[in-house]
């Protein structure tokens, strides 16, 4: 059991450019304040100053970082590599500490002091910071992929807007606007003006180079829809065509980038001995996001703890011996959404006749064992 009187507590308020450190003893007395830049050359200055104060008082330094996996990750790694004890302080705990004061105030120094206070009060329950490079790298890849997917939705919406004016009946011949054949068509025929004097046979031969199963009947359907839609050409059509073609080029480049990222994610998953993809309906993208959101699975002593962290475990509200269970609105909402859609996809996946995989949480608990 750690004895509180033996430590010098260093609360850190972390930001992109600078970090603020407040040194506090076990009686919540502020001893020193220091502001450093967020770079390794400054970390040594912090450690030297903290060690000097700790040696003077005959104490051991212990660091509390508010979210050691964000802007303070580099500092956390640097301290851990040099043998310092680093605790991860949930930002909500520091926020509650600020609110507990009669007059609430907000500045970097006070925020760091609140982190130090939480470190003192919850010394025995706060988790050790473990910013492992494999989880962090995978998380960066997943975030990059999510950004591209979200940008793709925006690009597709823009393409829908352009195409719906030029080809009002486009949904009859291209249900998915961003398929390979569809993108080729919008790029070369952004408006019916470019289809002038184009026969169904010529269009069939051209599009068969993109998709071998493209049929003449579909080419004829495109020609018929264009004729039935009437005149859709508007002023400044050339500029509108350029917009559609530009959106297609961006979507094509984005698809290439996502494919490259998926390959890199698949390579990263080998370092985790990942078995999640053996579950029907679990893709590499889903498995990687689960691991990235959960981190080191060994920090959860049981599947129940993980369910509580994800916000999928019910919470019981009671008073006077009476109460009921309600769905939780707390926990990691990204992880909550993942489990929701994962459960939905598993319901829709056809059964293969073999025994279904065990509970997802149990498989997750088996990772890295």
């Amino acid at each position: 059991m750690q004895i509180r009187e033996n430590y010098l507590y260093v609360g850190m308020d972390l930001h992109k450019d600078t970090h603020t450190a407040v040194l506090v003893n076990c009686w919540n007395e502020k001893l020193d304040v220091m502001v450093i830049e967020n770079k390794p050359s400054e970390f040594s200055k912090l450690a030297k100053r903290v060690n000097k104060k700790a040696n003077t008082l005959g104490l051991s330094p212990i660091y509390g970082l508010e979210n050691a996996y964000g802007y303070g990750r580099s500092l956390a790694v640097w301290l851990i590599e040099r043998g310092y004890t680093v605790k991860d302080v949930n930002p909500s705990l520091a926020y509650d500490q600020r609110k507990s004061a009669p007059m609430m105030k907000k500045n970097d120094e006070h925020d760091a002091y609140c982190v130090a206070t939480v470190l003192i009060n919850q010394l025995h329950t706060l988790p050790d910071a473990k910013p492992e490079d494999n989880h962090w790298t995978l998380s960066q890849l997943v975030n990059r992929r999510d950004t591209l997917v979200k940008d793709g939705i925006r690009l597709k919406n823009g393409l829908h807007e352009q195409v719906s004016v030029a080809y009002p009946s486009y949904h009859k011949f291209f249900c998915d606007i961003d398929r390979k054949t569809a993108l080729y068509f919008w790029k070369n025929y952004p408006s019916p003006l470019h289809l002038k004097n184009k026969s169904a046979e010529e269009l069939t031969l051209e599009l068969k180079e993109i998709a071998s199963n493209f049929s003449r009947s579909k080419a004829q359907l495109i020609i018929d829809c264009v004729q039935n839609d009437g005149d859709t050409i508007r002023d400044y059509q050339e500029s509108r065509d350029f917009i559609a073609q530009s959106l297609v080029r961006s979507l094509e480049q984005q698809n290439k980038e996502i494919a490259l990222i998926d390959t890199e994610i698949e390579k990263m998953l080998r370092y985790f001995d990942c078995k999640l993809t053996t579950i029907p309906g679990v893709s590499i993208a889903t498995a990687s996001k689960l691991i990235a959101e959960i981190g080191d699975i060994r920090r959860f002593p049981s599947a129940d703890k993980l369910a509580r962290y994800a916000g999928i475990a019910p919470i019981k509200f009671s008073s006077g011996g009476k109460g009921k269970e309600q769905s939780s609105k707390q926990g990691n909402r990204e992880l909550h959404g993942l489990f929701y859609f994962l459960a939905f996809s598993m319901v829709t996946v056809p059964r293969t006749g073999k025994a279904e995989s065990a509970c997802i949480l149990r498989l997750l608990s088996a990772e890295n064992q």
Side-chain angles (χ1 to χ4, degrees):
M1 179 67 73
Q2 295 168 310
I3 301 175
R4 287 187 172 85
E5 289 81 357
N6 293 343
Y7 293 98
L8 174 65
Y9 300 89
V10 185
M12 301 290 304
D13 184 44
L14 310 171
H15 296 282
K16 180 173 67 175
D17 298 321
T18 62
H19 300 330
T20 301
V22 171
L23 282 60
V24 181
N25 60 21
C26 65
W27 294 281
N28 294 341
E29 295 174 340
K30 190 184 298 184
L31 304 178
D32 198 2
V33 179
M34 184 177 181
V35 179
I36 63 170
E37 294 182 57
N38 184 14
K39 57 185 181 180
S41 60
E42 292 282 293
F43 300 161
S44 58
K45 296 179 183 178
L46 169 67
K48 185 176 180 180
R49 187 160 165 178
V50 170
N51 288 339
K52 183 177 180 180
K53 178 67 71 173
N55 292 335
T56 301
L57 300 174
L59 303 174
S60 299
I62 184 169
Y63 292 81
L65 275 61
E66 186 178 23
N67 187 8
Y69 306 100
Y71 290 136
R73 184 185 183 278
S74 297
L75 174 59
V77 171
W78 192 92
L79 292 169
I80 292 170
E81 288 177 346
R82 285 153 182 78
Y84 293 101
T85 303
V86 182
K87 296 288 186 178
D88 180 38
V89 178
N90 192 306
S92 62
L93 297 176
Y95 175 74
D96 288 340
Q97 184 64 37
R98 288 198 303 270
K99 286 182 63 179
S100 65
M103 295 290 291
M104 185 178 174
K105 56 182 178 179
K106 182 79 170 67
N107 57 62
D108 294 346
E109 181 180 331
H110 185 66
D111 289 349
Y113 176 77
C114 290
V115 172
T117 304
V118 172
L119 180 60
I120 296 169
N121 296 336
Q122 303 191 33
L123 176 63
H124 302 132
T125 57
L126 286 176
D128 292 331
K130 296 180 179 179
E132 298 177 355
D133 285 338
N134 55 353
H135 288 96
W136 180 75
T137 304
L138 181 62
S139 177
Q140 296 297 304
L141 286 170
V142 169
N143 290 341
R144 174 61 180 155
R145 190 184 192 280
D146 287 346
T147 299
L148 288 173
V149 170
K150 290 176 182 177
D151 286 344
I153 295 173
R154 177 176 53 81
L155 291 171
K156 285 171 63 176
N157 289 339
L159 186 58
H160 275 291
E161 182 180 359
Q162 298 301 319
V163 170
S164 63
V165 175
Y167 296 94
S169 302
Y170 73 96
H171 59 279
K172 293 182 180 180
F173 47 88
F174 287 131
C175 297
D176 295 322
I177 199 172
D178 59 337
R179 288 291 181 89
K180 190 175 181 180
T181 309
L183 289 178
Y184 176 87
F185 183 83
W186 309 132
K187 190 174 182 179
N188 291 274
Y189 305 101
S191 65
L193 185 65
H194 299 267
L195 276 173
K196 191 174 182 180
N197 300 325
K198 195 82 170 182
S199 67
E201 289 77 12
E202 292 173 333
L203 189 60
T204 302
L205 291 174
E206 182 179 353
L207 294 182
K208 267 186 176 294
E209 296 293 325
I210 308 301
S212 58
N213 61 345
F214 191 85
S215 63
R216 185 192 181 284
S217 60
K218 193 163 188 177
Q220 186 62 53
L221 176 62
I222 294 175
I223 301 297
D224 292 342
C225 286
V226 169
Q227 292 175 352
N228 293 333
D229 287 339
D231 184 15
T232 60
I233 305 301
R234 296 290 181 268
D235 292 339
Y236 315 109
Q237 187 63 48
E238 185 176 347
S239 295
R240 294 182 63 87
D241 291 349
F242 173 82
I243 294 172
Q245 292 170 327
S246 176
L247 289 167
V248 170
R249 287 192 295 268
S250 296
L251 279 169
E252 288 176 336
Q253 181 60 33
Q254 183 207 56
N255 291 336
K256 293 178 182 178
E257 285 296 322
I258 290 178
L260 291 172
I261 289 176
D262 285 342
T263 301
E264 197 65 29
I265 287 176
E266 189 172 4
K267 288 165 53 179
M268 277 296 303
L269 287 180
R270 297 171 190 167
Y271 297 103
F272 295 90
D273 189 24
C274 177
K275 300 179 181 63
L276 289 171
T277 51
T278 62
I279 305 175
V282 180
S283 63
I284 290 175
T286 303
S288 61
K289 194 162 186 179
L290 280 168
I291 296 174
E293 289 294 336
I294 293 171
D296 187 356
I297 193 67
R298 290 168 293 189
R299 66 194 180 107
F300 296 98
S302 67
D304 291 341
K305 295 289 186 181
L306 175 57
R308 185 69 177 268
Y309 172 75
I312 59 177
I315 296 178
K316 185 167 184 176
F317 292 85
S318 64
S319 179
K322 298 180 180 180
K324 61 180 180 179
E325 291 185 340
Q326 298 182 7
S327 61
S328 173
K329 297 188 181 299
Q330 300 175 340
N332 186 316
R333 305 316 292 173
E334 287 287 335
L335 197 55
H336 181 278
L338 273 173
F339 279 121
Y340 174 83
F341 288 109
L342 183 57
F344 182 81
S345 66
M346 291 196 62
V347 170
T348 59
V349 168
R351 295 182 179 272
T352 61
K354 299 179 181 179
E356 290 298 317
S357 302
C359 174
I360 296 172
L361 292 177
R362 290 182 182 177
L363 269 179
L364 284 166
S365 299
E367 295 297 325
N368 296 327
Q369 294 274 329

